[in-house]
Amino acid sequence: MRTITATAITLALAAAAATATATATAAPATAATPGKPSTDGLWRMDGYGTALSLDGDTLQEFQTTSVSCIKGDSARRTGPGTYATADGTTLTVRPGPGRNRATLGYETSVGHRWLRRIQELPAECTRPTPQDPRTAFDVFWHSFAENYPFFAAKGVDWQDMRDRYRPKVHQDTTRKELFGIFSDMVRPLYDAHVAIRDGDEVFAQVRPGTQPPSEELDTKVKKFITERDLRNTPYRQDFANGRITYADLAGRAAGQGYLRISGFAGYAPDGAPYPVHLAELDKALDTILTTERTRRLKGLIIDLRINGGGSDALGIHIAERLTDTPYVAYAKHARNHPTDPGRHTRPEPIRVVPADGPRYTGPIAVLTSGTTVSAGETFTQALIDRPGGTVRVGQPTQGVFSDVMMRNLPNGMTAILPNEEFLNRSGRTYDGTGIPPHLTEPVFTKEEFAKKRDSAFDRAVSVLRNDV
């Protein structure tokens, strides 16, 4: 199971290790037996096209479609109900309700996945999966057909894509040709959480008119903001491996704070487990949101304009420092039928519970753009119904919210796609269009850079001063 949650695909691909593909042979058994943990056995996940085998010290994933079953990631048991993946992420499996149901949670994500006990793995798991180009095509097509929720919204007829492209695939189709076919099929989606990977070669794209987050862009923008917006600030400090910046503002913005978050990942050195990243975030928040500062701040600007995503759980953790009143951030569900994209798992409300210690509860201005991606967007969404007043300034966000599925293809390629929706309190999603600002301003355009303007920042300062 990939634990890349709601992250910009361009960054996720750089961090994700290649997952080996393999075929699986099913062990027939299943129900829990005396002396074994009650979650041992075989399980089917609601949504996600996944079956699981929990056997002693091992959790094994099987990625399934109606025509295939391919072994996915595995994890080792670290304690009662807990497992660790190869990258150190902790998974938690809890039994109930009843002996034939269970839940699975990822420490880096929000919400749970619901499991139903099964007596045997799908029949496709009992035989090797051919590795020829046509089989790879079929697994690729079905992976999207059975899991992707947004074909209608994107105006893409996926059956037509199959009819057009499958005749072009035969036993002599080269890997390069097949990679090109897959890329052409998903190109009209313009979905930043969709990608095709073959070794070091990757096809991915963002919504037209936007650009993907990158280290180069982040460095350029950070320098611009420091020199233009944060000059002469009485206090400024970087935290979390440079991903978080805080400043007390000066001049006409005196009394306001500025919090820039360029991602919800990378807070600790590469390879560090999630709790280390969480600890780095808490260090930053404990330094920034002191009792004295939270009392005197007249407003807080949160800058997410260049934010490559990461862990939704870290975003909720920050939101918990910004309220005194519990509230629902959003609800989350997944597509849950192979032929009906309108059927989903039961929506699970994701709640924001006030953290212990000092919290800032005053007015907030959130700066967003098309380069606010994935977890940057779910954090933005988590502030929409925040008590205390939140206004959004800038441009619409990218429009991708779901955790991403990493689906192994039998020829060694990987397909990456979303299958979830994050719902607002009206039951609607912002997928595709992104979360709109209340106040529209240009963001880091050539003209803004050339004239040393930051219109969105200046508008936020004015809003918090009640100038407009």
Side-chain angles (χ1 to χ4, degrees):
M1 264 136 304
R2 271 293 152 203
T3 55
I4 300 170
T5 57
T7 188
I9 202 68
T10 50
L11 298 185
L13 289 169
T19 303
T21 58
T23 56
T25 300
T30 58
T33 55
K36 285 191 173 184
S38 60
T39 56
D40 270 18
L42 301 175
W43 300 88
R44 165 66 75 178
M45 192 180 295
D46 289 346
Y48 301 92
T50 298
L52 298 176
S53 170
L54 278 66
D55 183 13
D57 292 331
T58 302
L59 180 153
Q60 179 64 58
E61 174 198 53
F62 296 91
Q63 301 173 357
T64 66
T65 71
S66 58
V67 300
S68 63
C69 175
I70 297 176
K71 188 179 286 188
D73 288 352
S74 61
R76 58 180 178 80
R77 194 190 301 271
T78 56
T82 60
Y83 299 81
T85 64
D87 64 4
T89 299
T90 296
L91 316 179
T92 302
V93 181
R94 293 283 181 260
R99 67 186 303 276
N100 293 321
R101 299 287 293 182
T103 58
L104 171 67
Y106 296 76
E107 64 180 346
T108 54
S109 188
V110 295
H112 300 84
R113 302 184 184 187
W114 310 100
L115 307 179
R116 294 177 289 108
R117 193 181 291 279
I118 56 177
Q119 294 303 307
E120 58 185 11
L121 291 173
E124 289 77 16
C125 299
T126 65
R127 48 184 176 263
T129 302
Q131 300 180 14
D132 63 284
R134 275 217 158 179
T135 300
F137 180 97
D138 290 341
V139 175
F140 170 81
W141 186 85
H142 279 276
S143 294
F144 278 82
E146 297 175 18
N147 295 287
Y148 189 74
F150 308 122
F151 287 121
K154 302 282 187 177
V156 172
D157 185 334
W158 195 239
Q159 180 62 50
D160 179 65
M161 287 292 184
R162 184 183 189 279
D163 295 343
R164 288 167 54 192
Y165 286 99
R166 194 173 190 272
K168 299 180 181 182
V169 180
H170 48 80
Q171 64 179 6
D172 296 323
T173 299
T174 67
R175 292 184 73 87
K176 183 176 181 180
E177 290 170 339
L178 192 60
F179 182 88
I181 287 172
F182 291 163
S183 301
D184 287 343
M185 291 174 69
V186 300
R187 194 183 309 275
L189 297 175
Y190 289 105
D191 189 323
H193 270 176
V194 168
I196 312 299
R197 184 176 67 198
D198 186 15
D200 293 333
E201 189 171 10
V202 175
F203 173 84
Q205 59 186 355
V206 294
R207 194 182 78 224
T210 66
Q211 57 183 322
S214 67
E215 186 174 344
E216 180 182 9
L217 179 60
D218 186 54
T219 299
K220 177 183 179 180
V221 167
K222 185 175 182 179
K223 182 175 184 293
F224 177 80
I225 289 171
T226 300
E227 294 176 352
R228 196 258 184 203
D229 300 330
L230 306 185
R231 66 183 186 278
N232 302 321
T233 54
Y235 170 81
R236 180 175 67 84
Q237 187 173 346
D238 288 336
F239 303 91
N241 208 23
R243 306 306 300 276
I244 295 174
T245 297
Y246 177 79
D248 288 323
L249 299 178
R252 64 186 295 268
Q256 299 178 20
Y258 171 84
L259 177 62
R260 180 173 184 266
I261 307 171
S262 65
F264 293 94
Y267 295 168
D270 290 346
Y274 174 77
V276 177
H277 294 267
L278 180 61
E280 289 298 318
L281 175 59
D282 275 331
K283 280 186 199 176
L285 295 175
D286 289 343
T287 304
I288 295 166
L289 298 177
T290 62
T291 300
E292 186 274 335
R293 181 172 283 115
T294 55
R295 286 175 179 170
R296 66 174 168 79
L297 277 183
K298 299 175 183 177
L300 178 64
I301 298 172
I302 300 180
D303 192 346
L304 305 173
R305 288 175 292 179
I306 310 296
N307 187 294
S311 167
D312 297 328
L314 292 178
I316 292 294
H317 196 71
I318 297 173
E320 291 173 343
R321 299 287 191 112
L322 302 175
T323 182
D324 278 343
T325 305
Y327 69 97
V328 174
Y330 41 73
K332 179 178 177 180
H333 68 192
R335 180 174 165 181
N336 194 29
H337 195 276
T339 59
D340 184 357
R343 290 174 60 177
H344 301 88
T345 58
R346 183 174 71 251
E348 181 177 7
I350 306 302
R351 292 179 167 83
V352 177
V353 179
D356 294 333
R359 299 179 295 273
Y360 173 73
T361 60
I364 289 176
V366 179
L367 308 184
T368 65
S369 78
T371 318
T372 307
V373 183
S374 196
E377 301 183 82
T378 65
F379 177 60
T380 301
Q381 188 170 355
L383 299 180
I384 289 177
D385 293 324
R386 167 190 172 269
T390 301
V391 61
R392 299 183 303 278
V393 183
Q395 294 288 312
T397 64
Q398 176 64 215
V400 291
F401 296 78
S402 174
D403 294 359
V404 293
M405 303 176 69
M406 312 285 283
R407 308 304 281 185
N408 301 331
L409 303 182
N411 66 346
M413 293 183 187
T414 304
I416 298 159
L417 66 151
N419 71 315
E420 301 169 336
E421 295 177 337
F422 283 58
L423 310 174
N424 63 19
R425 61 180 174 179
S426 299
R428 301 176 65 89
T429 81
Y430 299 101
D431 287 283
T433 60
I435 300 174
H438 295 106
L439 304 171
T440 300
E441 294 288 349
V443 173
F444 303 135
T445 62
K446 290 182 180 179
E447 184 179 14
E448 291 269 297
F449 280 126
K451 296 185 176 181
K452 291 184 168 44
R453 287 199 314 233
D454 192 347
S455 299
F457 176 89
D458 291 346
R459 188 76 178 275
V461 168
S462 294
V463 168
L464 292 177
R465 281 171 49 96
N466 295 315
D467 288 348
V468 291

